[in-house]
Amino acid sequence: MNHIIVKRATHEHSAQTAVLVGELLQEIMDRIGIDVFHFDLQETKERLADFIVTEKNFVFIAVDNEEKEIIGFVTVYEGYALYAEGAFGTMAELYVQPSYRSQGIGNMLIQSVKDFGNERGWKRLEVTTPPLPQFDATLAFYEREGFEISGGRKLKAVI
């Protein structure tokens, strides 16, 4: 594990990280058996670079220094709400390549976000996982990382 580091991504990391975004979305669709995402690698790369530069998302990457490749990432954005007592973070995506799982890399990514949030004065960090049996292991992972169910379900309306 000494060869794995986590650092904040720059726009130069967007191409390699966008590939991992595609892997994450495909894994979710395979798990639920429904094509719910549209993924275009070039659009995602450009969007990710914009999000990083404009700080719409803060992105942390896990890098295998021996292989010189990004093997995981987490994206988080800042929000503000009265219920959250001000500023807070929401993790939008978290992914570690399957061959690197169960090695503490997800923990390293989340800890980097928590440290970043502390620096920004966040009171809390939120994440959503679908309330489906296919995501029970994901829920258990987040609970091991100190998250607790806070009620409700995430809903969307396409506009």
Side-chain angles (χ1 to χ4, degrees), residues 31-77:
R31 200 176 285 185
I32 63 174
I34 305 169
D35 288 343
V36 293
F37 300 109
H38 163 76
F39 177 74
D40 179 283
L41 181 59
Q42 185 60 33
E43 286 177 10
T44 301
K45 178 184 145 252
E46 291 168 7
R47 189 174 298 117
L48 183 58
D50 173 64
F51 283 4
I52 290 169
V53 170
T54 61
E55 296 191 338
K56 291 175 185 166
N57 272 197
F58 304 99
V59 181
F60 295 85
I61 53 174
V63 179
D64 182 331
N65 274 338
E66 288 180 358
E67 300 296 325
K68 303 293 185 217
E69 68 174 325
I70 299 171
I71 51 94
F73 73 97
V74 60
T75 67
V76 61
Y77 58 90

Side-chain angles (χ1 to χ4, degrees), residues 105-121:
I105 297 166
N107 171 272
M108 292 169 63
L109 288 163
I110 290 173
Q111 191 57 53
S112 293
V113 171
K114 287 179 177 178
D115 293 344
F116 179 75
N118 280 328
E119 292 170 12
R120 294 187 68 90

